[in-house]
RNA sequence: GGGCGAAUAGCUCAGUUGGGAGAGCAUCGGCCUUACAAGCCGAGGGUCACAGGUUCGAACCCUGUUUCGCCCACCA
């Protein structure tokens, strides 16, 4: 053993065990990387930079398979660019997740038989921070388990001091620009969370409900109109009935009016184009305080807004005798009462979309309330322009249409939330003059009159408000930092498509507005991970795959490889555990290829791979594998640069297993055991070189196993993480060599097929003849007769220019070469005849097609010359094959 | 209602400027062969959803239909 191998690795050199054991390896290497600060970014403004900000998981989160996918893709890009030599930064962090986190802590309090109101606001906030310190680090630990190479010294939290400063700065500036306003509008209200929700935070679930048909009498007693509703309790707040202006059924009704049952209020009939004449009876009850559309109708016709519920979803004093009832209990009661009074026409089963809180699934109640809004139109226009001009690119490109459509219809963004955990709105109202002071530092007096009687807004900001600033707030904005100069705009954002509008679009708006520059150049939107049947994973269905289970069972690398292999653009991901196991086998295969390499190259031999510098001097199989390596490198780089993650995985898999292991390693075994030093040297040098290239290409996907193997290879080695990523090598490209190898491989496969079909035991020695009229090919075959014998386990090999095929031989034709294997009594004549008959059928079909083409004058006239030439060559080959087939059938027929 | 996507081997999917249908897994047969039985060698298997059209030529381009999935939307 050489004593040069004194590199202070994190493990001593050892003979690799027969199977890869990932548990210990993963733990050990992650620690090594952390201690070596290998993930740290440098502040070098000049150098090409690559930066990603993590989509911050909720601080309450635990790693689910979507995180696993998302972070695997980010890590593999980060590692790729780091190896390419870019100054690379991946910013990690978590989101304070207002409602979600508050819910968690409130549940804790409930278990302690108390609640936040008893505790008071300050104590409650303290309690949340405490929770964050104790439990908030879970997902970060899990990301480390995934191998994430984030710059952990730069971990950020949306409630950090720095980020909070950014939030206030943005709020104040937008307010001063008139882009933030406060007003009484209809919003989605969650009676459980007791807060307003933005439109995006409401999910519409198809729900089985009832459609109630209520009869409203005309005020003059001359008749009645039937209206339909799914929420009959809201009739208590009705202030009009609307009909379409052109609806002749109700002509003149607007002059009369309606006597509202139970309430006994006279309400007007208004004419509004919004009403769909063909729905129900074409008459619509209007409750401006509890329905968005009705709210707008109300604005158009100056209708009174009567709120009939409080913030808990309990009927209020305006509900008269129903006051104090829960909204759903009230619904039942009111239907009963209307029925008794004869105002209920009928009840139908009805399936419709019901809006629910995305956090707690409570049915939201549209209601009017005072809220803060962002005027998004001017901000959205900038974002749309940036995307249209190609300054931000979306992958896959199918998202452009959806993006534009959504941005065109965007409504103002309700940013106030009536909870405690979050960034409190920096606005103070003066008790004396009533003016509002909006400043970034807490004021002591009113900005208008100087009074000290000021009180801060109680509401906090929507969580997505701070997330929208993430790409620049994490880099130190509003200060002019080196980080911003070096890493903004970030390179790419990788996220799930379901937060394209929650988050991605808003980052574009804020980034463009405050940095005057896009927040990222590329956006890669990946799919949702579903189960293997394509169903959404959910706890209730019981089809959830827990990433930590997968890691424990198959190892992080196998899991990461699987996620990468599944990540095809525009495809949903149907996760199948069997695939993970398949890729675990792949990693084990690689491990064993490394073991094999290590067996032959134990000691450090600097310069052993120098043989690859002059490929022309190498024997054919070496030239071939180098040419194939070059092709693989080009494929992998292209796929990486285009975010075609599935192609990265398949290119590496295919090359490693089927070209390197199956062909190359098998082929060079004889050389590795040879007495010829030169032969041995070449084989060892190329073997090691190609393995190294594979490890480097694979490292971004499978960081652990590649690092472990790398450290066990001979020579003084640092971490593979900081090696340079393989580049295309034009000197390795060699089409002629690939063609020659192709021919040899086809011959070998032909012999193996004959062998297998005739059921010849592998230990039974064979004699093979090759009839080859082409002198150049004959020379090639002669040169590699040893390899052909070894790969087919043939005892002897004759290569002749011409000759007759013996009666008892199996044979096939490959590229003009006749492969003949005399089988004596081994041959199964019937089976052979069957096979020939099948082959003949195929040949005749092919011939018919080719002759048809070549007989078509239009084809000859219009098709490119090379295509015609190819068809001619094909015709010739098919004719030869058919002739040989006839010959064989005749011969075997006589044997029989 | 509008938009987007998908339909190719038993399953999951490739198939990038239109030119002889591929991979992995599964299945079947044979093998412990100087790294790997977590392996090796070989085989079978497809009317490229359907119907038209363009073209010398279509899995691919166009039109329509069917089925499935997703997103958006103010039919109460």
């Amino acid at each position: 053993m050489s004593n040069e191998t004194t590199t202070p690795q994190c493990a001593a050199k050892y003979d690799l065990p027969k199977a890869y054991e990932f548990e210990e390896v993963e733990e050990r290497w992650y620690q090594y990387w952390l201690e070596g600060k290998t993930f740290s970014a440098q502040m070098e403004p000049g150098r090409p930079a690559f930066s990603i900000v993590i989509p911050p998981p909720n601080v309450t989160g635990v790693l689910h398979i979507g995180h696993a996918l998302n972070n695997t893709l980010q890590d593999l890009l980060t590692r790729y660019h780091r190896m390419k030599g870019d100054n690379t930064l991946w910013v990690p962090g978590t989101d304070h997740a207002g409602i979600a986190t508050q819910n968690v802590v409130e549940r804790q309090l409930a278990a302690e038989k108390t609640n936040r109101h008893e505790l008071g606001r300050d104590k409650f906030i303290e309690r949340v921070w405490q929770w964050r310190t104790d439990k908030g680090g879970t997902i970060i630990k899990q990301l480390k388990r995934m191998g994430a190479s984030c710059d952990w010294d730069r971990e950020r939290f949306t409630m950090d001091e720095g980020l909070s400063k950014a939030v206030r700065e943005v709020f104040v500036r937008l307010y001063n620009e008139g882009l933030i306003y406060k007003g009484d509008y209809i919003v989605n209200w969650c009676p459980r969370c007791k807060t307003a929700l933005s439109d995006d935070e409401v999910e519409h679930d198809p729900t089985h409900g009832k459609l109630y048909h209520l009869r409203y009498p005309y005020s003059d007693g001359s008749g009645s109109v039937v209206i339909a509703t799914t929420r009959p309790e809201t009739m208590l707040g009705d202030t009009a009935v609307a009909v379409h202006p052109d609806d002749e059924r109700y002509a003149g009704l607007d002059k009369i009016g309606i006597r509202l049952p139970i309430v006994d209020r006279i309400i007007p009939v208004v004419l509004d184009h919004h009403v769909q004449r063909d729905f129900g009876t074409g008459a619509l009850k209007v409750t401006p305080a509890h329905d968005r559309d009705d709210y707008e109708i109300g604005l158009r016709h100056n209708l009174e807004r009567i709120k009939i519920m409080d913030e808990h979803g309990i009927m209020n004093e305006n509900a008269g005798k129903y006051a104090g009832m829960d909204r759903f209990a009230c619904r039942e009661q009111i239907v009963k009462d209307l029925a008794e009074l004869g105002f209920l026409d009928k009840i139908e089963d009805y399936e419709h979309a019901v809006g629910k809180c995305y956090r707690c699934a409570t049915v939201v109640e549209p209601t009017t309330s005072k809220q803060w809004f962002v005027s998004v139109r001017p901000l959205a226009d900038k974002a749309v322009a940036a995307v249209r001009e190609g300054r931000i690119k979306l992958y896959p490109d199918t998202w452009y249409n959806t993006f534009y459509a959504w941005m065109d219809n965007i409504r103002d963004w309700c940013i106030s939330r009536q909870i405690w955990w979050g960034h409190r709105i920096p606005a103070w109202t003066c008790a004396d003059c009533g003016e509002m002071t909006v400043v970034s530092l807490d004021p002591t007096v009113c900005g208008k009159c100087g009074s000290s009687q000021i009180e801060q807004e109680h509401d906090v900001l929507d969580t997505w408000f701070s997330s929208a600033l993430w790409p620049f707030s994490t880099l130190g904005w509003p200060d002019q930092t080196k980080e911003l100069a070096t890493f903004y705009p970030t390179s790419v954002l990788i996220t799930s498509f379901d937060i394209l509008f929650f988050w991605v679009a808003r980052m574009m708006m804020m980034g463009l507005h405050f940095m005057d520059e896009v927040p990222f150049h590329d956006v890669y939107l990946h799919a949702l991970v579903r189960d293997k049947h394509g169903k959404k994973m959910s706890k209730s269905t019981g089809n959830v795959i827990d990433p930590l289970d997968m890691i424990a069972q198959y190892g992080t690398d196998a899991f990461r490889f699987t996620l990468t292999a599944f990540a095809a653009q525009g495809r949903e991901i149907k996760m199948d555990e069997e695939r993970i196991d398949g890729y675990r086998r792949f990693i084990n295969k690689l491990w064993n290829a490394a073991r094999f390499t290590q067996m032959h190259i134990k000691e450090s031999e600097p310069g052993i791979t120098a043989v690859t510098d002059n490929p022309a001097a190498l024997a054919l199989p070496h030239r071939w594998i180098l040419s194939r390596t070059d092709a693989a490198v080009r494929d992998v780089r292209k796929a990486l640069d285009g975010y075609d993650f599935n192609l990265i995985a398949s290119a590496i898999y295919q090359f490693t297993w089927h070209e390197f292991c199956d062909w190359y390693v098998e082929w060079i075994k004889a050389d590795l055991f040879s007495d010829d030093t030169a032969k041995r040297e070449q084989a060892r040098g190329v073997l090691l070189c190609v393995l190294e290239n594979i490890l480097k290409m694979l490292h971004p996907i499978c960081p652990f196993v590649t690092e472990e193997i790398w450290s066990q290879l001979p020579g003084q080695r640092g971490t593979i993480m900081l090696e340079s990523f393989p580049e295309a090598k034009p000197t390795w490209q060699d089409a002629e060599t690939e063609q020659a190898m192709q021919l040899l491989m086809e011959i070998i496969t032909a012999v193996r097929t004959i062998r297998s079909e005739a059921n010849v035991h592998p230990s039974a020695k064979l004699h093979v003849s090759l009839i080859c009229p082409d002198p150049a090919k004959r020379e090639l075959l002669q040169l590699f007769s040893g390899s052909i014998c070894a790969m087919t386990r043939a005892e002897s090999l004759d290569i002749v220019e011409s000759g007759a095929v013996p009666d008892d031989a199996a044979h096939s034709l490959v590229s003009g070469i006749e492969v003949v294997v005399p089988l004596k009594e081994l041959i199964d004549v019937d089976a052979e005849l069957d096979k020939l008959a099948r082959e003949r059928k195929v040949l005749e079909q092919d011939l018919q097609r080719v002759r048809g083409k070549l007989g078509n004058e239009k084809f000859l006239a219009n098709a490119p010359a090379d295509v015609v030439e190819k068809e001619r060559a094909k015709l010739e080959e098919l004719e030869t094959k058919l002739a040989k087939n006839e010959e064989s059938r005749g011969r075997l027929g006589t044997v029989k």
Side-chain angles (χ1 to χ4, degrees), chain A residues 136-184:
Chain A
T138 305
I139 194 148
I140 295 295
K141 284 192 208 106
Q142 292 170 329
L143 288 176
K144 290 178 177 171
R145 190 84 196 280
M146 287 292 302
S149 65
C150 303
D151 188 345
W152 295 109
D153 296 333
R154 296 174 183 278
E155 187 183 331
R156 297 288 186 265
F157 180 52
T158 47
M159 287 285 282
D160 277 350
E161 198 181 326
L163 274 67
S164 300
K165 187 174 154 194
V167 165
R168 281 207 171 186
E169 185 69 24
V170 163
F171 187 96
V172 171
R173 287 201 203 172
L174 287 176
Y175 181 83
N176 290 337
E177 292 168 40
L179 292 175
I180 281 184
Y181 63 92
K182 189 180 185 182
D184 205 3

Side-chain angles (χ1 to χ4, degrees), chain A residues 635-647:
Chain A
D635 287 348
V636 167
R637 288 184 84 111
K638 187 177 167 206
L640 272 161
D641 292 333
Y643 307 111
D644 288 316
F645 297 104
N646 58 321
L647 300 183

Side-chain angles (χ1 to χ4, degrees), chain A residues 420-472:
Chain A
W420 288 351
W421 175 241
H423 301 98
R424 194 163 169 180
I425 289 177
W428 287 259
T429 308
C430 178
D432 290 333
C433 72
E435 284 295 316
M436 188 108 70
T437 305
V438 175
V439 285
S440 49
L441 295 174
D442 287 12
T444 51
V445 295
C446 172
K448 185 87 176 177
C449 71
S451 160
S452 60
Q453 299 297 305
I454 54 171
E455 195 189 10
Q456 187 172 7
E457 289 285 302
H458 293 283
D459 293 357
V460 300
L461 289 165
D462 179 8
T463 294
W464 297 102
F465 191 89
S466 54
S467 330
L469 321 180
W470 189 249
F472 52 92

Side-chain angles (χ1 to χ4, degrees), chain A residues 802-815:
Chain A
S802 63
V805 179
D807 288 348
D808 58 356
H811 99 295
S812 65
L813 186 72
V814 176
S815 301

Side-chain angles (χ1 to χ4, degrees), chain A residues 678-709:
Chain A
K679 274 188 180 170
R680 227 170 46 231
E681 189 89 326
Q682 282 195 7
R684 294 162 76 214
V686 177
L687 176 67
L688 182 61
C689 168
V690 175
L691 178 65
E692 286 178 344
N693 272 284
I694 290 171
L695 292 173
K696 289 179 193 169
M697 280 193 282
L698 184 60
H699 176 76
I701 306 178
C702 300
F704 296 106
V705 69
T706 49
E707 189 75 274
E708 178 65 4
I709 294 172

Side-chain angles (χ1 to χ4, degrees), chain A residues 84 249 296 408 513 627 655 815 842 884:
Chain A
K84 272 174 71 175
R249 292 171 293 180
E296 280 167 16
D408 279 349
H513 194 70
S627 187
F655 173 70
S815 301
V842 175
K884 291 288 178 190

